[in-house]
């Protein structure tokens, strides 16, 4: 019969000990196997997370690199924009600096042009050409009268544009719309474009010997050679009648060069006055519309000056007094009507006398020219004489102020006071003699010599001061 109980291992000897030892060792091995598997999982997890963290770091690094690149590009664009703005700003500064330099240069040139030395040189040049123009005109009249109208044109092409530029710069260009410039243009048109027009010849001859020539007396034109403005005014008013006098009476074979003369051996007074008056009315209407009406505000505000406003402000003249006596609302029509009457009256000698008489034509020119010479002589004597008087008065005041300044700085002595009183006394200064000889072209002085006022001749008070200190 088989025993159903399990066999009990023996406890004695090595067999029992080995039994429990095997069990414990197996337990230890199983336990160690479980912990080793646990460490393997941690390693796996660490590897997984490390890889993902590294991947994430690489993604972040790439994203950071892209952001840095974009930031650098943005900074570069900003720097480029800033550089462009800086370049534009520098360019504007350079342009402003260039404009400032050009402006300063122009101002310097203008000031140098107005400096005393340049003014003297300019006046010498004007004097030279004025005298030479007078000489050549006289020579051409005697030797080659057929060149007179050419000289008239050449000088007009130089002087009239120069006057237009100067008057525009000074805001005087409304004077250029006056009758004298209108007649000068008509003269050039007849000489060079319509020499066969009898009507234009009559109008130019009458207006030149009428309003144009008489303006030398009305506007007190002066033969002052060193003044370009006065030379131009005299040229405008006297060279026109001079040229047409030569064409009418002294031009050899004038009918060939100016065919209109064949049809006008004599003037019909009424016909001549109507033709010249008609061209005058054309100018007067244009002047009234474009100057007196369209630009009335500028004239009344004083921004622009016309011949009427100039005469109105000249209260010492006869025309100025007459205009001031007229009410303002009727002043312009009265002035226009007065100009028309003046134009007709001044044309009467040309119509009835000058056109048919070479002698009286020459006498008329001599009379007009003598008036300008007389006015020029008065300018040189009176204006320069008064200027010299003002300079002497300024010299006396300067010496008096110098005396007061020196007496305030140092302790005065009797000798220094007497010296200064002698220097600043009126008896020691030269006085202007109004009763000078009219034959001279400059004012004369009395017998008193002009004191030397250079730096080396000033009174020296240093020795007086040292002496006073030693006495003290």
């Amino acid at each position: 019969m088989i025993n159903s109980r399990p066999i009990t291992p023996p406890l004695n000897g090595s067999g029992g000990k080995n039994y429990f030892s095997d069990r414990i060792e197996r337990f230890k091995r199983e336990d160690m196997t479980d912990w080793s598997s646990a460490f393997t999982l941690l390693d796996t997890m660490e590897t997984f997370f490390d890889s993902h963290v590294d991947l994430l770091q690489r993604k972040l690094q790439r994203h950071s690199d892209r952001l840095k690149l974009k930031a650098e590009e943005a900074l570069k664009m900003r720097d480029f924009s800033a550089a462009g703005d800086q370049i534009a700003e520098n360019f504007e500064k350079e342009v402003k600096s260039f404009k400032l330099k050009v402006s300063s240069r122009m101002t310097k040139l203008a000031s140098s042009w107005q400096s005393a030395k340049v003014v003297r040189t300019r006046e010498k040049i004007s004097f030279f050409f004025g005298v030479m123009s007078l000489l050549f005109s006289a020579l051409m009249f005697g030797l080659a009268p057929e060149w007179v109208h050419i000289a008239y044109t050449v000088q007009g092409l130089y002087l009239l544009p120069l006057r237009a530029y100067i008057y525009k710069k000074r805001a005087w260009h409304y004077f250029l719309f006056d009758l004298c410039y209108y007649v000068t243009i008509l003269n050039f048109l007849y000489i060079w474009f319509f020499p066969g027009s009898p009507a234009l010849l009559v109008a130019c001859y009458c207006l030149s010997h009428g309003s144009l020539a008489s303006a030398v007396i009305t506007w007190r034109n002066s033969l002052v050679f060193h003044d370009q403005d006065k030379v131009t005014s005299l040229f405008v008013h006297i060279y026109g009648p001079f040229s047409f006098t030569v064409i009418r009476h002294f031009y050899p074979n004038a009918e060939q060069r100016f065919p209109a003369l064949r049809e006008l051996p004599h003037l019909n007074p009424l016909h001549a006055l109507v033709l010249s008056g008609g061209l005058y009315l054309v100018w007067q209407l244009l002047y009234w519309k474009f100057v007196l009406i369209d630009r009335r505000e500028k004239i009344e505000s004083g921004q622009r000056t016309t011949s009427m406003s100039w005469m109105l402000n000249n209260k010492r003249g006869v025309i100025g007094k007459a205009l001031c006596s007229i009410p303002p609302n009727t002043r312009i029509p009265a002035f226009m009507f007065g100009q028309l009457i003046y134009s007709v009256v001044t044309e009467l000698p040309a119509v009835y006398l000058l056109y048919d008489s070479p002698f009286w034509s020459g006498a008329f020119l001599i009379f007009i020219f003598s008036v300008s010479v007389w006015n020029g002589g008065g300018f040189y004597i009176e204006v320069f004489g008064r200027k010299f008087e003002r300079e002497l008065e300024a010299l006396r005041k300067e010496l008096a102020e110098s005396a007061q300044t020196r007496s305030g700085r140092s302790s005065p002595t009797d000798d220094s006071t007497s010296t200064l009183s002698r220097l600043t006394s009126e008896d020691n200064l030269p006085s202007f003699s109004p009763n000078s000889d009219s034959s001279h072209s400059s004012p004369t002085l009395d017998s008193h010599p002009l004191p030397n006022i250079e730096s080396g001749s000033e009174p020296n008070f240093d020795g007086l001061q040292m002496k006073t200190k030693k006495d003290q």
Side-chain angles (χ1 to χ4, degrees):
M1 181 177 178
I2 299 172
N3 190 8
S4 59
R5 291 185 299 174
I7 300 173
T8 301
L11 295 176
N12 56 349
S14 59
K17 183 177 179 180
N18 291 335
Y19 176 79
F20 287 104
S21 298
D22 293 337
R23 294 291 183 175
I24 292 172
E25 290 296 333
R26 189 176 60 185
F27 175 76
K28 289 181 180 181
R29 285 196 301 268
E30 292 176 359
D31 189 38
M32 290 176 65
T33 302
D34 293 337
W35 281 105
S36 63
S37 61
F39 285 124
T40 303
L41 179 61
L42 290 176
D43 293 336
T44 303
M45 291 178 64
E46 182 179 0
T47 303
F48 176 78
F49 284 111
D50 288 342
S51 61
H52 281 74
V53 168
D54 183 63
L55 181 61
L56 182 60
Q57 287 179 350
R58 286 197 297 271
K59 290 182 178 180
L60 290 175
Q61 185 66 33
R62 286 196 298 271
H63 187 64
S64 177
D65 293 339
R66 285 197 300 269
L67 291 178
K68 288 181 179 180
L69 184 60
K70 291 182 179 180
E72 290 177 357
E73 292 178 356
L75 289 174
K76 288 182 180 179
M77 292 298 294
R78 185 179 299 175
D79 293 339
F80 180 77
S81 178
D85 295 339
Q86 186 68 26
I87 292 173
E89 185 177 357
N90 292 335
F91 180 75
E92 292 178 358
K93 288 182 179 179
E94 291 294 333
V95 171
K96 290 180 180 179
S97 177
F98 177 75
K99 290 182 178 180
L100 183 61
K101 289 181 180 179
V102 172
S103 177
S104 61
R105 181 62 176 170
M106 294 298 294
T107 304
K108 186 177 180 180
L109 288 176
S111 61
S112 63
W113 179 252
Q114 297 297 331
S115 63
K117 184 176 180 180
V118 176
V119 167
R120 286 195 298 268
T121 305
R122 191 170 69 239
E123 290 177 350
K124 289 180 181 179
I125 294 174
S126 177
F127 186 91
F128 173 80
F129 281 105
V131 174
M132 297 306 294
S133 174
L134 179 61
L135 176 62
F136 278 111
S137 298
L139 291 175
M140 280 188 295
F141 177 74
L143 299 177
E146 64 273 11
W147 284 85
V148 170
H149 68 284
I150 299 176
Y152 179 41
T153 305
V154 171
Q155 292 183 74
L157 292 176
Y158 168 70
L159 293 175
L160 294 180
L162 181 62
R163 164 156 287 193
Y165 170 75
I166 295 174
Y167 274 26
K168 176 63 177 177
K169 188 177 180 180
R170 298 178 181 177
W172 294 352
H173 51 282
Y174 283 12
F175 282 106
L176 301 176
F177 299 108
D178 287 348
L179 180 64
C180 54
Y181 301 98
Y182 173 75
V183 175
T184 302
I185 294 174
L186 291 179
N187 292 343
F188 290 151
L189 288 176
Y190 169 75
I191 290 173
W192 297 107
F193 297 101
F194 307 103
S197 173
L200 190 56
L201 172 62
V202 171
C204 290
Y205 186 89
C206 293
L207 289 172
S208 296
H209 286 81
S211 301
L212 212 62
S214 61
V216 175
I217 303 173
T218 306
W219 291 90
R220 293 185 56 84
N221 290 159
S222 305
L223 185 61
V224 180
F225 290 113
H226 76 277
D227 193 330
Q228 183 72 33
D229 185 67
K230 295 184 182 298
V231 170
T232 304
S233 297
L234 185 60
F235 165 80
V236 170
H237 292 142
I238 204 171
Y239 223 102
F242 173 61
S243 299
F244 276 90
T245 296
V246 172
I247 291 173
R248 174 68 183 94
H249 298 294
F250 305 103
Y251 197 102
N253 299 322
E255 291 81 5
Q256 297 179 1
R257 174 63 178 81
F258 302 100
L261 291 173
R262 296 196 190 99
E263 303 179 18
L264 293 171
H266 304 283
L267 287 183
N268 184 343
L270 181 60
H271 181 68
L273 293 176
V274 169
L275 286 176
S276 60
L279 287 178
Y280 171 83
L281 288 176
V282 171
W283 165 81
Q284 186 65 85
L285 292 175
L286 293 174
Y287 188 86
W288 173 76
K289 175 62 174 64
F290 292 104
V291 177
L292 298 180
I293 299 300
D294 293 347
R295 291 157 178 83
R296 175 180 293 180
E297 295 180 357
K298 291 184 177 181
I299 297 172
E300 292 178 352
S301 64
Q303 300 179 13
R304 299 292 183 268
T305 304
T306 61
S307 57
M308 178 181 173
S309 61
W310 186 88
M311 290 181 177
L312 188 62
N313 293 327
N314 186 17
K315 308 235 178 356
R316 294 182 298 176
V318 178
I319 300 177
K321 292 179 180 179
L323 287 175
C324 291
S325 62
I326 300 175
N329 54 349
T330 59
R331 189 170 291 164
I332 292 179
F335 181 72
M336 294 170 60
F337 180 75
Q339 277 190 314
L340 177 61
I341 299 300
Y342 173 81
S343 176
V344 173
V345 171
T346 54
E347 290 174 8
L348 294 178
V351 173
Y352 287 99
L353 184 62
L354 303 181
Y355 191 82
D356 296 325
S357 174
F359 172 79
W360 288 112
S361 296
F364 175 78
L365 289 177
I366 292 174
F367 170 72
I368 295 298
F369 188 74
S370 64
V371 172
S372 68
V373 174
W374 180 267
N375 294 335
F379 176 84
Y380 281 113
I381 299 299
E382 295 178 7
V383 174
F384 283 176
R386 292 174 184 174
K387 181 179 180 182
F388 189 70
E389 281 186 309
R390 288 194 298 267
E391 290 178 354
L392 290 178
E393 183 65 21
L395 175 62
R396 189 185 67 82
K397 292 181 179 180
E398 182 180 355
L399 289 175
E401 292 176 357
S402 177
Q404 293 177 1
T405 303
R406 291 180 179 277
S407 62
R409 290 179 180 177
S410 61
S411 57
T413 62
D414 295 337
D415 295 336
S416 62
T417 304
S418 61
T419 303
L420 290 174
S421 63
R422 288 196 303 270
L423 285 172
T424 57
S425 63
E426 294 182 358
D427 295 335
N428 196 33
L429 288 176
S431 60
F432 173 72
S433 177
N435 298 322
S436 58
D437 188 4
S438 60
S439 63
H440 298 287
S441 61
S442 60
T444 60
L445 298 176
D446 292 338
S447 58
H448 302 287
L450 183 66
N452 191 359
I453 58 171
E454 295 180 356
S455 60
S457 62
E458 293 181 354
N460 188 1
F461 296 96
D462 295 337
L464 295 176
Q465 295 177 8
M466 294 295 294
K467 182 179 180 182
T468 304
K469 292 181 179 179
K470 289 180 179 180
D471 294 340
Q472 291 177 356

